[in-house]
Amino acid sequence: MSPFSWLPALNTQYGLEIHPSLIRPFGDGHIHQTFLIESGEEKLILQRFNNLVFKYPERISHNQSLLIEQIDSEDLPYILPLPIPNLAGELFTLIEGTYFRISPFVAGRCVNEIENPHQAYLAAKAFAQFIKAGIHIPAKEFQEAIPGFHDLELRYNQLLEALKNTKRDIVGDLKELVEFYLAQKDLVDQYLRWKEKLPLRLTHSDTKINNLIFAEDFSKVNAVIDLDTLMAGYVYYDFGDLVRTVACTEGESSKDWEKIRVDFTKYEALLVGFLEVGKGAFTEDEIYSLPFGGLMMTCIMGFRFLADYLNGNIYYTIHYEEQNLHRAKNQMCLLKGLREKLN
Ligand code: GN1
Ligand code: MG
């Protein structure tokens, strides 16, 4: 069977004439399968949506429609490339049990690591601008795209559950990682304390650096992408995922354990950019919570990668068996560095 058996139906539903030869895999996302459709000058992004991870596509449609209606887009100096509706006006198209969607292609550079503090500053400004442009929309109007997505207590419990049910032997590196992550319980307690104090906002909730498209010369941000997880959250989530993916000397997939350090120059640049936009809009507590974001988001990704490894790699795309174990180890190295400086 052709790998693109769904293409004729897709063409009909969008009124397009895409030929298989125009489609090629694109990007580094861990969740959906992303393709670039290229026909002469015209380019589009096609995604085969992962509805095992996102079990409620209708919530995503609701959130994205709300965003289109209510966000102050004149406050945004970049594009939010939301899905293009099909001929029936829907953001998703269901074909043979799989959801697809098509979005505008935005030209520029999408990177897993940035080169200098100025780029960090631009990235932080862009994500803070996103929160600010939606700050007037009551966060509770957004639906939970993934229930408990950034709930550290829930993720800790899911790790315990994975540990109980795993078929893997807890020895060597795995043992060290399990012990390390179970010892992060104090962050769960801090998470619960911050929850009492902070307002919920519309957050992007997946602010890793490759969810931005920079201009070719890195002079500005052209687009904020990956708009599936936009939902109610805390401001420090979005600052924290930036810290995790920007203020680190190595990328998330590095196995050069010795080289994984916090880059405090980039960290400072993130803070400057985020606060330049957020001052006056965010509460004092929200500003004080930002350093916790780096710790918490690194820890939660460690919990999730490790749990996925224990569960037999059922969630994240992997390219080799130990990849989630290695991702969890990478996050452990970064978290140790952050704790040394920030605790
Ligand atoms: C996933 O789709 P992608 O690669 O941008 C994940 C994020 C994690 C990230 C870790 C829906 O994001 O939460 O931070 O991998 N998205 C989902 O790299 O789980
Ligand atoms: Mg992504």
Side-chain angles (χ1 to χ4, degrees), residues 300-331:
I300 205 167
M301 292 312 154
F303 285 174
R304 292 176 59 198
F305 289 141
L306 186 59
D308 197 29
Y309 180 72
L310 291 167
N311 289 334
N313 302 319
I314 51 178
Y315 186 96
Y316 292 107
T317 302
I318 49 161
H319 304 290
Y320 61 94
E321 180 62 25
E322 307 295 297
Q323 192 164 9
N324 278 317
L325 180 79
H326 290 158
R327 287 171 176 152
K329 186 164 175 176
N330 171 304
Q331 301 293 288

Side-chain angles (χ1 to χ4, degrees), residues 28-32 53-54 146 149-150 155 205-208 210-211 226 228-229 241 244-245 252 297 301 304-305 315-316 327:
D28 284 321
H30 292 341
I31 308 292
H32 308 301
V53 163
F54 286 101
I146 298 182
F149 190 48
H150 287 329
R155 298 299 191 177
S205 317
D206 188 6
T207 59
K208 63 196 257 197
N210 71 11
N211 285 333
D226 228 340
D228 292 326
T229 50
D241 217 23
R244 187 180 78 79
T245 56
E252 181 188 80
M297 290 301 288
M301 292 312 154
R304 292 176 59 198
F305 289 141
Y315 186 96
Y316 292 107
R327 287 171 176 152

